[in-house]
Amino acid sequence: CCGGDTEARMSGWVAQQALSMKTELMQLVIMANSEAEFFCSAPVFIHHMQELEKEPKPVDFVVFGLTVAGIAAIISEYCQKPIAGFILQPSCIPSTDAEWTAVQPISTHGLNLLDSIEEMAFTSHGSLHFLKSLVEMNPLAKWNLNSIRDWYGLPPMDTWDLFRRCNVPIVIPMQENTFRRPKDWWSGIQLTDFIFLRSGKAQSGGLKEPTASFVASAHQDGAKICLITFSSMMVDRAA
């Protein structure tokens, strides 16, 4: 696993300023940079793959997430390994469907005109593709996706276009009725069911107060609970 210390990176001044800005443009900028942050890990992934090829049982299959899709494509082509995506952020998957946006519009100005302009300019997949191209294909950047591909003798390539043409399997752990599926998604994109972290020992996963009382009261009243959390933070697990 590569990429650095997520908690340390997100607690820095720049990250905190970015997260405090509630605008569609900043959401789009963050999403556009999601993969570029991990480009420097590409040689490490390739090295590990090559080392694992020397093992009695080499790697058969590679599963990638949102932040390493481009690197996974390189691994698949260079190391000749089948890949599949496990994507918890389906809005990153492009579509020409006008209703399928990369980020959700939010009302922050109190002025309908400004909010409408931001919604039109900074929520579409066309806008995301433009920003991602600036970030990932920047010829002045050392960690340029096409440059990395060139290191391994691979031609320039649009990652998601490659996935579409090769019908790369993508698993989204959400139920079918969670959102309307874009009409132009390829057949390899499959929605399953939600996933939950369950400990093998019931007592190790017990909730603490006041959360335990809140959940117990909700269950007693027949109320439904929705948990919204950040998926990359450390979670205590049973030994």
Side-chain angles (χ1 to χ4, degrees):
C1 180
C2 301
D5 189 326
T6 299
E7 188 171 7
R9 180 61 181 268
M10 298 310 296
S11 62
W13 184 85
V14 174
Q16 289 297 306
Q17 293 302 309
L19 293 174
S20 67
M21 296 180 64
K22 299 177 174 63
T23 66
E24 289 84 351
L25 176 58
M26 185 51 63
Q27 291 184 68
L28 209 64
V29 169
I30 292 173
M31 184 173 283
N33 279 273
S34 60
E35 290 194 56
E37 293 284 332
F38 291 82
F39 284 172
C40 58
S41 297
V44 180
F45 284 125
I46 296 292
H47 171 74
H48 282 305
M49 287 294 299
Q50 292 173 327
E51 289 298 306
L52 289 170
E53 284 297 287
K54 303 173 185 177
E55 297 292 327
K57 185 172 177 57
V59 173
D60 296 317
F61 189 59
V62 177
V63 179
F64 65 88
L66 159 71
T67 57
V68 288
I71 297 176
I74 294 174
I75 292 173
S76 178
E77 295 171 86
Y78 184 71
C79 300
Q80 295 296 294
K81 299 293 181 180
I83 59 173
F86 187 72
I87 304 295
L88 284 74
Q89 306 86 356
S91 64
C92 75
I93 304 176
S95 168
T96 57
D97 192 327
E99 296 182 8
W100 184 251
T101 57
V103 301
Q104 293 298 308
I106 51 179
S107 179
T108 55
H109 299 290
L111 297 173
N112 290 335
L113 179 59
L114 288 177
D115 285 327
S116 296
I117 292 174
E118 285 191 336
E119 181 176 352
M120 289 187 294
F122 305 124
T123 63
S124 71
H125 272 279
S127 298
L128 176 61
H129 185 271
F130 174 75
L131 285 179
K132 280 180 69 70
S133 296
L134 292 179
V135 173
E136 298 179 358
M137 311 298 181
N138 182 1
L140 300 179
K142 177 182 179 181
W143 300 105
N144 175 311
L145 184 59
N146 283 339
S147 295
I148 298 173
R149 292 182 61 85
D150 184 61
W151 298 345
Y152 299 101
L154 302 173
M157 191 70 64
D158 180 278
T159 301
W160 288 100
D161 181 60
L162 176 64
F163 289 170
R164 181 188 303 277
R165 289 189 287 105
C166 295
N167 198 30
V168 170
I170 303 287
V171 173
I172 301 173
M174 298 180 184
Q175 294 178 354
E176 286 281 355
N177 59 356
T178 305
F179 56 85
R180 190 180 66 80
R181 180 189 177 103
K183 296 178 181 178
D184 58 352
W185 275 7
W186 57 98
S187 61
I189 300 177
Q190 297 292 323
L191 279 75
T192 57
D193 200 350
F194 293 104
I195 55 174
F196 302 93
L197 175 64
R198 291 188 173 93
S199 172
K201 299 179 180 179
Q203 65 271 20
S204 65
L207 298 174
K208 298 179 181 179
E209 294 295 342
T211 308
S213 296
F214 175 80
V215 173
S217 178
H219 285 171
Q220 185 176 1
D221 296 339
K224 295 182 178 180
I225 299 175
C226 176
L227 175 65
I228 302 175
T229 184
F230 187 66
S231 63
S232 296
M233 293 304 178
M234 293 180 289
V235 177
D236 291 333
R237 299 172 185 263

